[in-house]
Amino acid sequence: MILINLYGKIEPIILSEKLGVGISNLYDEWLTGIVDDLKEEMLLREHFLETSKKYNFGDFKVSQYEPEKIVSNANWTDVLDGDVDYYLQVIASNLVQLEVLDFDKSLLQLKNSHLDSPTCEVQYPLKFIRFCHILTTSRSARTHCDTNIPFMTYNPDDLRSKPLILNFASSMINRENYLIAYYEKAIKSMKYVGKLIDNFLESDRDFWIFDYIVNSINESEDYNAYYLFKIMSLIEMLIINPNSNGRTHGELERKLPRFLRNELNDYEDRELFCQIARKLRNKIAHGDFEAFQKLLEEYRANFMKDFLYDEFEYSVESWTINSICLSLKSALSEILFEFFSNKEGFKRFQNS
């Protein structure tokens, strides 16, 4: 399970019937462990504030977390004289998890008949929410999802991460009337994505395609040459005619421009962008990094003429790859939304 930025006592809600993914409050047996994580977060916050004062890092006006204030603002209890442990227990019982709630009916059994998230693999709920985020960042999705998909606030399985549960909770709960309104809209958006997925999953083949996509976008998003190669390969898999025997020249330049962001206004610019991106992908695949650098120079000459490079932050190469990857990621979100919302229409487009 992972925690997301929704709060309050809720009944379990299945978001995708065919995957069995849903949200609920924490199971009773997990509350003690989460309370310990909340205590760890308070200690880390106290250490941060003391260190900031000691080394004069700045005037931090945000005090230590006050669990009783969080509980009071959210109206989660009438008890006014409880100790810290009591208020942390109340907070933990009002946290919301994203989890595979109905594994018995889930298509995830095609991968593993025993459990949805083997212990040495990334948790499936985390893969699911990352997929939801990229799908709903498309312009087309905004007409259906008027609130962003909730984000992860804590992953108990990630031993390298610091808990930020109270940090997010105190921020959201202190905003008047925001919590309930956000909850209702966020649930609506998540249910919409779940419905899209369920409508798409009509066969085992559909599941394997979906699973490949989910795993492809789950990996690190450090914008480097490998990420560029990976995202271009996924885009090509989705839009290129599967009967074209791997030849993408011409077809990519014809199909990809319709999904590119509005900053590339001229069709010629979009076509040139697609041509450079396709060539970059091929040069990486064949290890021709001399030609790769020349293509980056061509991209800068055409699309980054007035860009101010801060080489204390990134190298010029990294700035260039970042720019390309951001455009490709935006295009991918548009492609994925159409792929899942218009299955038959997209198939015709793919075969055209």
Side-chain angles (χ1 to χ4, degrees), residues 117-122:
S117 299
T119 56
C120 293
E121 295 183 10
V122 176

Side-chain angles (χ1 to χ4, degrees), residues 112-177:
N112 188 322
S113 60
H114 302 289
L115 70 170
D116 58 271
S117 299
T119 56
C120 293
E121 295 183 10
V122 176
Q123 289 190 65
Y124 195 80
L126 183 53
K127 295 180 184 180
F128 179 85
I129 203 165
R130 285 172 175 169
F131 168 80
C132 291
H133 280 150
I134 193 167
L135 186 75
T136 55
T137 53
S138 72
R139 296 183 298 272
S140 304
R142 291 301 177 189
T143 60
H144 305 279
C145 304
D146 55 2
T147 295
N148 291 336
I149 295 292
F151 56 82
M152 180 186 71
T153 60
Y154 186 50
N155 177 8
D157 282 359
D158 186 355
L159 300 180
R160 296 169 298 178
S161 68
K162 298 177 182 179
L164 292 171
I165 309 168
L166 295 171
N167 175 68
F168 290 115
S170 60
S171 174
M172 291 193 68
I173 292 170
N174 284 338
R175 297 175 64 179
E176 276 187 57
N177 302 322

Side-chain angles (χ1 to χ4, degrees), residues 17 66 83 97 132 176 194 200 327:
E17 298 283 348
E66 300 174 290
D83 57 17
Q97 64 169 339
C132 291
E176 276 187 57
F200 177 84
S327 293

Side-chain angles (χ1 to χ4, degrees), residues 44-307:
L44 289 171
R45 177 65 178 174
E46 183 178 358
H47 174 70
F48 169 76
L49 292 173
E50 290 299 321
T51 302
S52 300
K53 293 176 183 177
K54 180 178 179 180
Y55 293 103
N56 195 28
F57 286 160
D59 182 19
F60 287 92
K61 297 181 180 179
V62 180
S63 63
Q64 174 59 286
Y65 298 124
E66 300 174 290
E68 65 276 14
K69 188 174 181 180
I70 294 174
V71 170
S72 174
N73 288 344
N75 294 316
W76 285 338
T77 181
D78 294 328
V79 177
L80 302 177
D81 57 352
D83 57 17
V84 171
D85 282 4
Y86 169 77
Y87 291 118
L88 291 179
Q89 186 77 23
V90 173
I91 291 171
S93 66
N94 281 276
L95 297 175
V96 174
Q97 64 169 339
L98 180 70
E99 175 74 335
V100 178
L101 299 178
D102 190 6
F103 181 66
D104 291 340
K105 299 177 184 177
S106 174
L107 287 174
L108 294 173
Q109 290 196 29
L110 291 172
K111 297 188 67 176
N112 188 322
S113 60
H114 302 289
L115 70 170
D116 58 271
S117 299
T119 56
C120 293
E121 295 183 10
V122 176
Q123 289 190 65
Y124 195 80
L126 183 53
K127 295 180 184 180
F128 179 85
I129 203 165
R130 285 172 175 169
F131 168 80
C132 291
H133 280 150
I134 193 167
L135 186 75
T136 55
T137 53
S138 72
R139 296 183 298 272
S140 304
R142 291 301 177 189
T143 60
H144 305 279
C145 304
D146 55 2
T147 295
N148 291 336
I149 295 292
F151 56 82
M152 180 186 71
T153 60
Y154 186 50
N155 177 8
D157 282 359
D158 186 355
L159 300 180
R160 296 169 298 178
S161 68
K162 298 177 182 179
L164 292 171
I165 309 168
L166 295 171
N167 175 68
F168 290 115
S170 60
S171 174
M172 291 193 68
I173 292 170
N174 284 338
R175 297 175 64 179
E176 276 187 57
N177 302 322
Y178 179 74
L179 202 59
I180 295 176
Y182 175 77
Y183 172 85
E184 292 175 349
K185 291 182 178 180
I187 295 298
K188 180 182 176 183
S189 295
M190 296 179 79
K191 283 184 174 180
Y192 175 78
V193 175
K195 188 69 173 176
L196 277 185
I197 294 170
D198 286 350
N199 289 340
F200 177 84
L201 297 174
E202 298 178 307
S203 66
D204 289 358
R205 181 178 182 277
D206 292 334
F207 171 78
W208 291 117
I209 293 172
F210 172 76
D211 189 63
Y212 178 84
I213 293 171
V214 167
N215 285 310
S216 295
I217 62 178
N218 174 65
E219 298 299 326
S220 169
E221 290 191 357
D222 293 333
Y223 294 153
N224 50 34
Y226 174 69
Y227 183 86
L228 193 159
F229 173 82
K230 183 182 72 170
I231 196 170
M232 271 301 296
S233 298
L234 181 56
I235 287 173
E236 289 178 8
M237 185 201 82
L238 290 168
I239 69 175
I240 296 298
N241 189 327
N243 300 315
S244 61
N245 297 319
R247 294 188 295 271
T248 63
H249 176 68
E251 187 177 350
L252 186 82
E253 285 86 344
R254 174 169 58 87
K255 290 181 174 179
L256 183 55
R258 66 180 279 188
F259 300 106
L260 291 172
R261 61 188 186 185
N262 292 332
E263 291 92 307
L264 299 171
N265 293 318
D266 296 334
Y267 185 83
E268 289 182 358
D269 285 343
R270 294 183 176 218
E271 193 174 36
L272 178 60
F273 174 91
C274 296
Q275 184 181 89
I276 292 174
R278 175 180 57 78
K279 289 180 178 179
L280 284 168
R281 185 261 186 210
N282 292 340
K283 297 308 177 186
I284 297 168
H286 294 100
D288 189 350
F289 287 99
E290 183 177 353
F292 178 78
Q293 291 298 329
K294 290 180 180 178
L295 285 168
L296 292 182
E297 289 178 13
E298 182 181 353
Y299 179 85
R300 286 192 290 271
N302 284 279
F303 299 106
M304 303 180 74
K305 294 175 183 176
D306 300 320
F307 190 86

